[in-house]
Amino acid sequence: MRKTIATGGAAAIAAALLSLPGAANAAPSDTRQVPSTGTTSIRSLAAGADGLQQPELRAGPDDEEAGVPSTRPDPNFKHGIFPKHPLDAPVVASSAVAATNPAVQASIQGLNHRDQRLANGGNQFSLEPPDQALCVGNGFTVESVNSVLRVYDSHAQPLTGVQDLNTFFGYPAAINRTTGLQGPDVIDPICHFDPDFGRFVVAITTLHVVPETGDFTGRNTIDVAVSNTGDPTGSWTIYSVPAQNDGTEGTPDHGCTTDGTTHGPCFQDYPHIGGDANGIYITTNEYDLFGPNFNAAQVYAFSKAQLAAHPGSVRVTLVPNLELAGTPGFTVWPATSPANQYATDANGTEFMLSSVAGDGSETGNPTGTARRIGLWALTNTASLNAATPDVRVTNRLVTSQTYVFPPKVEQKPGDFPLGQCINDTTTVVAGLTGCWQLFFAPADEPAHDEVISSLDANDTRMQQTWFTNGVLWGALDTAVRVDGELRAGIAWFSLEPKINGSGKVGGSIKKQGYLALGNSDLTYPAITMLPSGQGAMAFTVAGPSHYPSAGYVSISSSGTVGPIHVVGEGLGPADGFTSYKAFVGTPIRTRWGDYGAAVTDGSSIWMASEYIAQTCTLGQYLTAPIGSCGGTRTSLGNWSTRLTKITP
């Protein structure tokens, strides 16, 4: 996000490895056979019509609120895992903004809220945020967001229409607009291309519901679709992994609750995907589905050779309840590698990274700040090809630069017609006095005092990781102090992990630094590296100087971070339903992210970030069909994604 790196970040920074014992997984791994639930393909289903339909929002908690973390015990300061007092935000120099983008080969508006809401004939709910998934290979690019996907060619030209994820994974529509029956809640799409077998993998978490009410049943699954060939426009095979981990359907019992005491189902949130020479790995954060507790991070491991063969059933190995120096592992992000860039130590190794802060509640860190990161290794991954896999987890705490819970993102003033509609009490619309009545019954009249919101800048959990040429890269969101102001910025890290003779992970930080931009905020980084050692990091640029925009920085083979490139300049403020207390109550949390994506095809880099690609006035918003603003948005959302291809 910036050209200039904070003091000490431009040069290699030696980071001491804490002398803590390697931690193994807290319980034995569990291997099950999971049968295929059928085949699918990406179909170009007709889109629905613009206009208002009720219900627009799925009732009940969303994926971030389905489990509300409990307050954990007092943190363990024995090994210095957490600071005893909140750390100050690092002081960071502002980057320059590049005037041109010579490396850009293609840059287009990707999937947006209107695509998502109108997919499958409009039998969808309005959703925020997009949750960006992206994978590329064999001349194809697959993009997915909540809750649709699409395939493009190597020039970013669409090859398919927009497909809803419910239909793609063989489920009923999110909502049948004729009968009112609801299908499962499919969330958090992730995507991976395996360069060795030439297969695309798209996965989601699925919360199963009672069709008549939409209430969660307790059952949830990790659904994995694997392309049967290297062409994602062809057929795919689906596997549905039961993941409630309450002892039903062959799952282990992880002791989740409905109220802190009574036994109940668990829930797999925030899945992420990576791969090495032997396996495809999906990590999750496990919560009570109906109760107050966070459990720990989990790893679901698959043999990628077996997935590529798309048999009638596949093995899945669950490595449960990851712990780091006595605290629950949280958002342990598995690395992705280009072809032939895998770690072969200990019969195959998949590296992962995590922070030790998050928002504080999951990790037990009350400060939301840290100067340590977690380095993880899943070893003996070649055993995934055997009938009885025997993978093992070790980890270490590595001393790092400071990172601090980021502030909310201030938005540049502009038209915000959904919020202005809630505030309006005089305009006659559809025979009703007051635009607000389009959404609320008279008995539910809201306060008419909505304002442009501040965007969520994430917490300090680790974001996308990449392993290339023996170096592991990652980045996360942090508060920074730039030009005397507290802003959201990015902390990035590169490490050289090692596996010793006993199979335990060690290593040190090779380089690290910060990215910041004066009078602006930078959020949701996604880093990727080519085999050449060059790379890039994508993110959102926002704040008083920019409407939410898509940006990136290049990373040289020596680890130097270049100036900020804005490849998708935002056109207006975010104006979605999570921005307004009339819809979500207080405090407002304007959902953004929840993650970006950056990947390589071996020679080029593809990136995707959330941004705002449209703007309109309240008058234009109220022009029929209401809320579409000329086919650029829907009544309840205006987010978009930006797909960019660069060749360094």
Side-chain angles (χ1 to χ4, degrees):
M1 288 185 183
R2 56 199 130 239
K3 180 178 181 180
T4 305
I5 302 170
T7 303
I13 301 173
L17 183 68
L18 298 183
S19 56
L20 292 172
N25 45 287
S29 59
D30 164 66
T31 298
R32 287 171 277 157
Q33 290 286 338
V34 177
S36 167
T37 58
T39 58
T40 189
S41 62
I42 300 174
R43 286 157 281 173
S44 300
L45 303 178
D50 288 300
L52 299 175
Q53 289 179 289
Q54 294 295 345
E56 278 286 344
L57 306 178
R58 188 184 285 273
D62 70 9
D63 57 301
E64 288 290 320
E65 297 166 337
V68 180
S70 61
T71 301
R72 304 200 70 84
D74 290 338
N76 175 9
F77 296 116
K78 180 179 179 181
H79 301 299
I81 183 173
F82 306 138
K84 293 185 178 181
H85 305 286
L87 302 173
D88 293 332
V91 177
V92 178
S94 176
S95 176
V97 176
T100 60
N101 296 308
V104 172
Q105 304 299 307
S107 188
I108 66 164
Q109 183 179 358
L111 293 166
N112 61 28
H113 184 267
R114 187 168 183 271
D115 292 327
Q116 179 272 317
R117 174 59 183 83
L118 300 186
N120 192 19
N123 292 301
Q124 297 264 90
F125 290 105
S126 288
L127 297 173
E128 290 189 330
D131 293 355
Q132 182 73 64
L134 186 70
C135 52
V136 58
N138 280 357
F140 299 97
T141 299
V142 177
E143 182 192 16
S144 184
V145 297
N146 273 334
S147 56
V148 289
L149 78 166
R150 191 174 208 177
V151 179
Y152 305 81
D153 67 14
S154 59
H155 304 289
Q157 297 302 304
L159 296 176
T160 69
V162 177
Q163 167 80 70
D164 70 293
L165 291 178
N166 279 69
T167 303
F168 178 71
F169 279 95
Y171 292 121
I175 180 169
N176 185 311
R177 293 287 172 187
T178 300
T179 66
L181 295 178
Q182 296 184 34
D185 190 4
V186 298
I187 62 171
D188 292 356
I190 49 179
C191 189
H192 178 82
F193 175 74
D194 170 37
D196 300 314
F197 291 94
R199 296 293 188 268
F200 291 84
V201 180
V202 173
I204 54 173
T205 285
T206 300
L207 290 154
H208 297 259
V209 302
V210 178
E212 292 77 13
T213 63
D215 294 338
F216 295 148
T217 64
R219 184 173 191 258
N220 59 99
T221 53
I222 296 173
D223 293 329
V224 180
V226 184
S227 65
N228 292 348
T229 69
D231 182 353
T233 67
S235 61
W236 300 59
T237 299
I238 304 170
Y239 302 94
S240 185
V241 182
Q244 58 270 19
N245 293 344
D246 60 358
T248 63
E249 293 190 275
T251 64
D253 191 342
H254 287 180
C256 291
T257 73
T258 59
D259 56 9
T261 303
T262 306
H263 184 263
C266 303
F267 160 58
Q268 307 305 317
D269 190 28
Y270 211 62
H272 292 294
I273 194 166
D276 71 348
N278 305 299
I280 302 294
Y281 310 97
I282 296 173
T283 62
T284 65
N285 291 327
E286 185 174 87
Y287 296 86
D288 290 349
L289 176 55
F290 300 118
N293 295 318
F294 172 68
N295 188 6
Q298 317 287 315
V299 181
Y300 292 82
F302 302 82
S303 161
K304 72 180 189 181
Q306 190 180 46
L307 280 178
H310 51 89
S313 64
V314 296
R315 290 183 302 275
V316 58
T317 298
L318 170 61
V319 185
N321 300 337
L322 303 185
E323 287 195 356
L324 177 65
T327 190
F330 176 63
T331 307
V332 181
W333 201 304
T336 299
S337 297
N340 303 315
Q341 294 289 315
Y342 313 114
T344 58
D345 311 88
N347 202 31
T349 294
E350 168 70 6
F351 292 113
M352 303 177 285
L353 287 176
S354 70
S355 81
V356 293
D359 69 1
S361 55
E362 287 91 350
T363 61
N365 181 347
T367 71
T369 68
R371 51 170 67 99
R372 311 274 190 268
I373 60 174
L375 170 61
W376 305 71
L378 186 71
T379 59
N380 198 31
T381 62
S383 72
L384 291 170
N385 295 314
T388 55
D390 183 24
V391 292
R392 302 151 198 171
V393 172
T394 67
N395 56 51
R396 282 290 189 274
L397 281 170
V398 177
T399 300
S400 72
Q401 63 195 3
T402 296
Y403 52 93
V404 174
F405 197 100
K408 299 291 187 183
V409 176
E410 181 182 354
Q411 289 204 78
K412 182 178 176 180
D415 290 303
F416 59 113
L418 175 56
Q420 291 166 317
C421 177
I422 298 168
N423 293 342
D424 178 81
T425 60
T426 60
T427 303
V428 177
V429 185
L432 302 170
T433 300
C435 184
W436 66 272
Q437 294 199 66
L438 292 173
F439 301 105
F440 305 100
D444 299 320
E445 181 174 357
H448 304 293
D449 57 357
E450 304 287 2
V451 297
I452 294 175
S453 66
S454 297
L455 304 180
D456 181 30
N458 204 6
D459 49 31
T460 58
R461 72 186 72 193
M462 188 63 65
Q463 297 293 280
Q464 181 175 292
T465 62
W466 207 268
F467 180 72
T468 307
N469 295 322
V471 179
L472 183 61
W473 295 80
L476 51 76
D477 295 278
T478 182
V480 294
R481 193 162 292 279
V482 55
D483 294 344
E485 295 183 313
L486 189 68
R487 293 285 177 189
I490 294 170
W492 58 267
F493 314 88
S494 68
L495 302 86
E496 291 185 328
K498 305 292 183 183
I499 303 296
N500 66 20
S502 60
K504 294 181 179 180
V505 69
S508 61
I509 286 181
K510 180 181 180 182
K511 288 179 179 285
Q512 58 187 348
Y514 298 104
L515 289 173
L517 182 61
N519 204 38
S520 301
D521 299 276
L522 310 176
T523 65
Y524 292 96
I527 199 166
T528 189
M529 303 300 292
L530 290 163
S532 66
Q534 296 175 296
M537 181 162 55
F539 43 81
T540 294
V541 183
S545 298
H546 294 271
Y547 292 121
S549 305
Y552 80 93
V553 291
S554 61
I555 304 172
S556 74
S557 57
S558 64
T560 301
V561 176
I564 292 172
H565 296 265
V566 178
V567 287
E569 190 70 58
L571 300 181
D575 184 46
F577 68 93
T578 62
S579 294
Y580 305 114
K581 61 181 182 294
F583 290 109
V584 298
T586 55
I588 294 168
R589 182 187 174 199
T590 296
R591 299 295 301 278
W592 196 260
D594 280 323
Y595 42 90
V599 294
T600 75
D601 59 11
S603 59
S604 296
I605 290 172
W606 290 75
M607 299 170 290
S609 296
E610 185 177 4
Y611 80 125
I612 300 297
Q614 70 84 234
T615 187
C616 61
T617 66
L618 177 59
Q620 291 168 326
Y621 179 89
L622 293 177
T623 300
I626 291 174
S628 77
C629 291
T632 62
R633 59 167 295 162
T634 72
S635 59
L636 289 187
N638 70 332
W639 58 258
S640 186
T641 64
R642 187 80 183 180
L643 295 183
T644 299
K645 176 185 178 182
I646 66 170
T647 301

